[in-house]
Amino acid sequence: MRLRQICLVAGELQRNADDLCAVLGLSVAYRDPEVGRYGLANVVVPIGQDFLEIVSPTRPGTSAGRYLTRRGGDGGYMVILQGVDALADRVRLEAMGVRAVERIDRPTYRATHFHPTDTGGILLSIDSVPGGDWRDADCEWPPAGPHWREHRRSAQGLRMIGAELQSDDPDAFAALWSKLLDAPVGPGRSIALSNARLRFVEATDGRGRGLGGIDVACADPQAALSLARGRGLAVDGDCATICGLRVRLVGG
């Protein structure tokens, strides 16, 4: 499987989108009108071959709004993986008792969002694009709209190489996701995907379990960190906090 998209949730969409794009040198490719039926607005931003998304509630009573309240503000919301056959993964996980909260079955796109209660507190989606090679850099990705390639910025060598999932019991969290993804837990309490690693760490920020951070490879981490400071964002070592998410910048 491939780490295809990370979704963040924010109380204020545009300011956080501006911060994300300014610090990492990215460009918004798409605003999906379909998310309006969930009471949301969004932006989707290409990063290397993959994507970052920010969603923001537009009305009371949304699941994203409740998540904002539970986690105490902006932050990581959903991990979206792409594989060969999302329908087969749906059958496998539902047989394990993992509940689906959303099913998408289109000729060009298939996806299942799994209930956070069954995944350790993080919304997990496993998706596939029929007829496409999920390892291809230019593989179609309907959630990013039809023109995302025009917005891809590659000059800084940006790419997502990891995501950090935090909880009070990271060993149990890693074991759970090992079963969900049918993949072993490896060194550093991590699960290897084709393009990235999911790292399971202890929650030390007072926000409890959730998607705490991502790892981003870039040509000049210090330049990005300087841009973050200039925008008034928190910087600690090699991490800048953008939209409530720790973005760890790694040279490469």
Side-chain angles (χ1 to χ4, degrees), residues 132-192:
D133 184 348
W134 57 276
R135 297 161 296 189
D136 184 349
D138 285 323
C139 177
E140 293 292 338
W141 189 243
H147 306 298
W148 64 265
R149 295 171 188 83
E150 300 167 18
H151 294 266
R152 184 165 49 190
R153 301 290 183 262
S154 57
Q156 299 301 315
L158 286 162
R159 65 190 190 280
M160 281 195 297
I161 58 173
E164 191 172 83
L165 284 61
Q166 65 181 47
S167 72
D168 293 334
D169 189 346
D171 289 314
F173 206 1
L176 172 61
W177 275 59
S178 176
K179 292 179 182 177
L180 295 175
L181 304 185
D182 192 24
V185 178
R189 203 191 289 121
S190 67
I191 294 175

Side-chain angles (χ1 to χ4, degrees), residues 92-250:
R92 180 177 61 82
L93 266 69
E94 288 186 329
M96 294 166 52
V98 181
R99 293 165 290 174
V101 294
E102 177 75 7
R103 298 178 180 89
I104 300 171
D105 295 305
R106 302 174 191 160
T108 58
Y109 178 55
R110 295 168 181 164
T112 313
H113 298 178
F114 294 100
H115 201 298
T117 300
D118 299 335
T119 64
I122 296 174
L123 190 58
L124 167 67
S125 185
I126 300 180
D127 306 7
S128 62
V129 179
D133 184 348
W134 57 276
R135 297 161 296 189
D136 184 349
D138 285 323
C139 177
E140 293 292 338
W141 189 243
H147 306 298
W148 64 265
R149 295 171 188 83
E150 300 167 18
H151 294 266
R152 184 165 49 190
R153 301 290 183 262
S154 57
Q156 299 301 315
L158 286 162
R159 65 190 190 280
M160 281 195 297
I161 58 173
E164 191 172 83
L165 284 61
Q166 65 181 47
S167 72
D168 293 334
D169 189 346
D171 289 314
F173 206 1
L176 172 61
W177 275 59
S178 176
K179 292 179 182 177
L180 295 175
L181 304 185
D182 192 24
V185 178
R189 203 191 289 121
S190 67
I191 294 175
L193 303 173
S194 68
N195 63 338
R197 284 188 175 274
L198 302 178
R199 295 185 292 108
F200 298 84
V201 303
E202 185 175 357
T204 59
D205 57 8
R207 303 188 70 184
R209 63 185 182 180
L211 172 59
I214 59 172
D215 301 332
V216 173
C218 65
D220 192 345
Q222 291 305 314
L225 292 168
S226 179
L227 287 168
R229 291 188 192 95
R231 295 184 69 86
L233 301 175
V235 174
D236 182 10
D238 59 359
C239 289
T241 298
I242 306 174
C243 193
L245 188 79
R246 294 185 297 274
V247 179
R248 179 172 289 103
L249 295 154
V250 181

Side-chain angles (χ1 to χ4, degrees), residues 30-36 40-44 53 106 142-145:
Y30 193 50
R31 297 174 186 266
D32 187 355
E34 289 294 319
V35 302
L40 300 172
N42 83 330
V43 296
V44 182
E53 178 185 12
R106 302 174 191 160

